[in-house]
């Protein structure tokens, strides 16, 4: 009589559970103890994917190619003797598809600043599998620790404009678990805001009042100045 089968173990022997398009993965399924021959069947969401008959105590190997989103999800295997009812199911392995990050957008509520002012920069990649990690740069120099965002939201840093050198070119970089796919943002520059002197409001006021005085004087000539001139003759 064959030895009673145990629940088989489904193990990933090649590839990763976080997969990308066109990636090959290999799964191993083995029931120990068990008496060969044993039939192993691989299922994805209760639908049969492949089967293998083993006449020895070596595991059944299943190689898959992740070619579309329908290839990811939960996989299990089943071990059974031929011409027997029932069978034992393994643990499940769940594959997910990694989406590369899109080019991030670097922005700020203000593009003008002056020395002594606090400003913010935000970096956001609209597409890509979470989590996404962001880094901020001024020129080629990293200016903040990396920020890993678990939600679809922007990473924000706060800067203090202390000198003219702080008005350089800023960029940010985004990446996730998708291999070799870091993306850099657009460039962003703060411009120096013009500081108004205390005399400027006075000059503006005089520029508005003086024409009004001239117009008022011109209108007063027929009514006041000409009668006074005639009265003195």
């Amino acid at each position: 009589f064959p030895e009673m089968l145990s629940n088989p173990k489904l193990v990933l022997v090649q590839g990763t559970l976080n997969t990308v398009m066109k990636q090959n993965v290999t799964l191993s399924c083995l029931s120990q103890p068990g008496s060969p021959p044993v039939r192993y069947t691989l299922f994805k969401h209760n639908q049969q994917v492949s089967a293998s008959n083993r006449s020895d105590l070596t595991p059944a190997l299943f190689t898959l190619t992740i070619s579309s989103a329908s290839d990811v999800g939960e996989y299990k295997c089943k071990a059974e003797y031929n011409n027997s009812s029932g069978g034992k199911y393994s643990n499940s392995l769940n594959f997910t598809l990694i989406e590369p990050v899109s080019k991030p957008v670097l922005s700020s509520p203000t593009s003008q600043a002056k020395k002594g002012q606090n400003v913010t920069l935000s970096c956001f990649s609209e597409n890509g599998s979470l989590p996404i990690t962001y880094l901020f740069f001024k020129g080629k120099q990293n200016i903040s620790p990396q920020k890993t965002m678990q939600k679809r939201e922007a990473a924000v840093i706060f800067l203090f404009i202390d000198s003219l050198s702080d008005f350089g070119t800023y960029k940010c970089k985004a990446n996730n678990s998708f291999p070799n796919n870091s993306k850099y943002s657009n460039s962003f520059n703060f411009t120096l805001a013009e500081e108004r002197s205390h005399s400027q409001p006075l000059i503006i006021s005089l520029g508005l009042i003086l024409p009004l005085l001239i117009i008022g004087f011109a209108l007063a000539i027929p009514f006041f100045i000409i009668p006074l001139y005639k009265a003195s003759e």
Side-chain angles (χ1 to χ4, degrees):
F1 293 97
E3 189 175 1
M4 182 176 292
L5 284 170
S6 63
N7 290 88
K9 288 185 178 181
L10 186 63
V11 179
L12 180 67
V13 295
Q14 179 188 346
T16 59
L17 292 178
N18 293 326
T19 64
V20 298
M21 287 293 187
K22 308 301 181 183
Q23 179 178 333
N24 293 325
V25 295
T26 301
L27 303 175
S28 165
C29 185
L30 179 63
S31 178
Q32 287 183 324
S35 300
V38 178
R39 178 177 176 83
Y40 294 98
T41 306
L42 183 68
F43 293 89
K44 177 184 177 293
H45 295 312
N46 300 321
Q47 292 186 346
Q48 181 175 330
V49 176
S50 184
S52 175
N53 292 310
R54 304 302 301 167
S55 58
D56 52 25
L57 294 175
T58 59
L61 298 177
F62 302 99
T63 299
L64 309 170
T65 300
I66 306 300
S67 57
S68 69
S70 63
D71 294 325
V72 298
E74 184 183 72
Y75 286 81
K76 285 185 177 182
C77 73
K78 179 183 179 183
E80 59 187 334
Y81 289 122
N82 290 331
N83 303 320
S84 67
S85 60
K88 296 293 183 68
Y89 284 90
S90 73
N91 56 297
S92 62
L93 291 178
N94 196 19
F95 289 94
T96 56
L97 192 62
I98 304 173
E99 182 185 7
V101 294
S102 58
K103 180 179 179 179
V105 175
L106 183 64
S107 61
S108 175
T110 179
S111 61
Q112 291 188 330
K114 55 188 177 182
K115 286 191 287 185
Q117 180 178 342
N118 291 307
V119 294
T120 61
L121 279 174
S122 64
C123 186
F124 180 66
S125 187
E126 187 173 358
N127 298 307
S129 302
L130 297 171
I132 298 177
T133 299
Y134 296 95
L135 277 173
F136 291 83
F137 298 87
K138 179 180 175 293
K140 295 183 179 180
Q141 182 179 0
N142 180 17
I143 58 172
S144 73
Q146 68 178 24
K147 293 182 176 290
T148 301
M149 311 305 292
Q150 303 291 339
K151 298 180 180 180
R152 187 74 60 189
E153 58 188 14
V156 179
I157 63 169
F158 300 90
L159 302 173
F160 180 69
I161 302 299
D162 188 41
S163 64
L164 291 177
S165 62
D166 295 325
F167 290 91
T169 300
Y170 293 86
K171 280 190 176 185
C172 67
K173 181 178 74 170
N175 60 61
N176 60 3
S177 54
F178 194 97
N180 304 317
N181 191 65
S182 296
K183 295 287 182 65
Y184 284 87
S185 72
N186 54 294
S187 299
F188 188 91
N189 290 75
F190 290 104
T191 57
L192 182 62
E194 294 183 2
E195 297 186 10
R196 292 183 176 180
S197 65
H198 296 294
S199 61
Q200 278 185 319
L202 179 60
I203 295 173
I204 293 172
S205 299
L206 289 175
L208 294 173
I209 295 172
L210 189 58
L212 293 175
L213 291 175
I214 294 173
I215 293 171
F217 183 76
L219 293 174
I221 290 174
F223 299 98
F224 298 99
I225 298 178
I226 293 177
L228 289 172
Y229 176 75
K230 288 184 177 181
S232 63
E233 289 180 347

